[in-house]
Amino acid sequence: MTLINGLPAHILLVHLVVVLVPLAALALVVAAISPRVARRMGVVLPVLALVSLVCVPLTTQAGEWLERHVTEDALVERHAELGDGLLPWAAGLFVLAALVWWGARATAEPRTDAKGTGVWSAMPMRVAAVVLSLAVAAGAVVDVYRIGDSGAKAAWHDGFSKTASQGNSDD
């Protein structure tokens, strides 16, 4: 994918990543903390994470095309390097979202042991899911921020004036 309606696809696709990855991260953390919420979200949780995952390489490939069509710049190179690191985070979000969704479905009905008491063994799995979800979600969101910040700097450095041009004052 290179151009969309005459614009570089990267500058349009990046908005999907900037919205969907943090949204999937937030949904994952909330679902991991609350199995009730995970059951209510249902298949939306892993589908959201999957769409986020698919958007990352599409955006990266479009960015690589754009990188070849702009002036060589250290800021652009730094942005491209950072962008290559998001795919593992997005994959982690998807895997954990699928596991949390599956776990919420599997434990929809309360289980008891032979004595009729609740099964405690699910608690360590929930704690692990919450900790892993928090770590991967935080990593993904921080990475999206760092990539976006470097991209904005690459696109806008020396691209505007700090003073208004004549006739365009902000009164």
Side-chain angles (χ1 to χ4, degrees), residues 29-89:
V29 169
V30 172
I33 291 170
S34 173
R36 182 177 62 83
V37 171
R39 285 189 294 275
R40 288 197 71 188
M41 275 196 235
V43 75
V44 171
L45 176 64
V47 168
L48 174 62
L50 178 61
V51 172
S52 300
L53 175 60
V54 169
C55 286
V56 170
L58 289 176
T59 304
T60 303
Q61 289 174 353
E64 289 170 356
W65 177 87
L66 181 58
E67 182 182 16
R68 291 188 302 272
H69 290 83
V70 297
T71 307
E72 194 169 320
D73 185 305
L75 293 173
V76 172
E77 289 177 22
R78 175 72 178 145
H79 174 65
E81 288 172 11
L82 288 172
D84 289 337
L86 185 58
L87 188 58
W89 291 113

Side-chain angles (χ1 to χ4, degrees), residues 91-144:
L93 285 175
F94 172 66
V95 167
L96 284 169
L99 289 173
V100 166
W101 168 72
W102 180 79
R105 285 188 57 217
T107 60
E109 294 182 25
R111 292 190 234 170
T112 58
D113 61 13
K115 297 178 186 176
T117 59
V119 177
W120 183 82
S121 63
M123 186 55 75
M125 294 302 288
R126 279 200 49 222
V127 170
V130 169
V131 170
L132 285 172
S133 295
L134 282 168
V136 171
V141 170
V142 167
D143 209 28
V144 166

